Amino acid sequence: READAAWSEGRYEVARRGYEQVLKQNPNSAGANLRLGILVSWDGKLDSALVLIAHARAASPTDVEAALTHARVRSWNKQHNAALATYDSVLSRVPALRDAELGRAQTLSWAGRLQEADSIYRRLIGKNSSDREARLGQAQVSAWGGKLEAAEESYRTILAQHPRDIEATTGLAYVQYWRGNVAESRRLLATALAVDS
């Protein structure tokens, strides 16, 4: 309970120590394995994180959060096919789950399957036109696919609603740089740094 309370309050080092204590007493604790796996993944120790998350899934095989976390960390570790299989497994049990569809689209884009990713992003935006993450993903896929005008339009749409959005601002900076507008790219990056140094 103390570790969960610390997690909820953003006191992650306290939570980490708590989950480590739980696992000394109960190595099969699904919750402690999952949360500790997430914390370890944030440190960039993806192989170790995947071991912990796999223990969590073994202890609680129907836990959707654990499956989504497993897929996400697998995709960060460039295990794209394994991540996609995990997302597909979740979607077979919970069709049209937004977080699974979004994660699947992100993984497809990182795997270079841009058209497939774009198709999912379009579907998500069709369901909810204010889905910021889907709009960011679609803009990124457009940029990576060389559709710089479409990417710029997408980023500007996000910024019209969220003028201080750092991801949209830096994404637009990349687009401007790739279009040869170096001064505008620098201005946008300065704007992003002013929001969060």
Side-chain angles (χ1 to χ4, degrees):
R1 285 195 302 272
E2 290 171 12
D4 286 342
W7 173 276
S8 299
E9 294 164 5
R11 296 182 295 122
Y12 297 118
E13 280 310 308
V14 174
R16 181 193 301 260
R17 289 192 297 271
Y19 292 129
E20 287 170 347
Q21 287 299 315
V22 170
L23 290 178
K24 283 179 184 175
Q25 297 169 8
N26 178 12
N28 296 319
S29 168
N33 273 298
L34 179 61
R35 292 277 173 86
L36 192 56
I38 292 169
L39 291 169
V40 169
S41 76
W42 292 349
D43 292 338
K45 299 173 183 172
L46 301 181
D47 290 333
S48 297
L50 287 169
V51 170
L52 289 162
I53 296 164
H55 285 316
R57 290 195 69 199
S60 184
T62 60
D63 185 325
V64 170
E65 180 190 359
L68 290 176
T69 302
H70 201 190
R72 189 176 308 115
V73 176
R74 279 175 158 171
S75 68
W76 293 346
N77 206 29
K78 298 182 181 176
Q79 298 176 10
H80 299 132
N81 290 336
L84 291 169
T86 305
Y87 284 125
D88 288 343
S89 171
V90 171
L91 288 166
S92 72
R93 288 183 284 140
V94 190
L97 180 66
R98 183 259 182 195
D99 287 348
E101 288 193 304
L102 182 69
R104 191 172 197 288
Q106 289 169 335
T107 302
L108 286 166
S109 66
W110 296 335
R113 295 163 62 177
L114 302 182
Q115 286 186 328
E116 293 172 77
D118 185 63
S119 175
I120 296 172
Y121 286 131
R122 287 182 187 280
R123 186 166 65 246
L124 289 171
I125 293 166
K127 291 179 185 177
N128 177 7
S129 62
S130 64
D131 187 330
R132 173 189 163 275
E133 288 177 298
R135 286 197 171 277
L136 279 169
Q138 185 185 44
Q140 189 176 60
V141 163
S142 295
W144 290 354
K147 301 174 182 174
L148 299 181
E149 190 173 324
E152 179 173 350
E153 183 179 330
S154 295
Y155 283 128
R156 290 198 185 280
T157 298
I158 296 165
L159 289 167
Q161 296 174 338
H162 309 281
R164 295 171 56 86
D165 191 301
I166 292 175
E167 290 180 80
T169 304
T170 54
L172 184 56
Y174 275 117
V175 169
Q176 294 301 330
Y177 181 78
W178 293 330
R179 295 181 91 174
N181 302 328
V182 177
E184 176 62 5
S185 178
R186 286 185 176 145
R187 186 193 71 75
L188 288 162
L189 291 173
T191 300
L193 285 168
V195 172
D196 186 349
S197 61

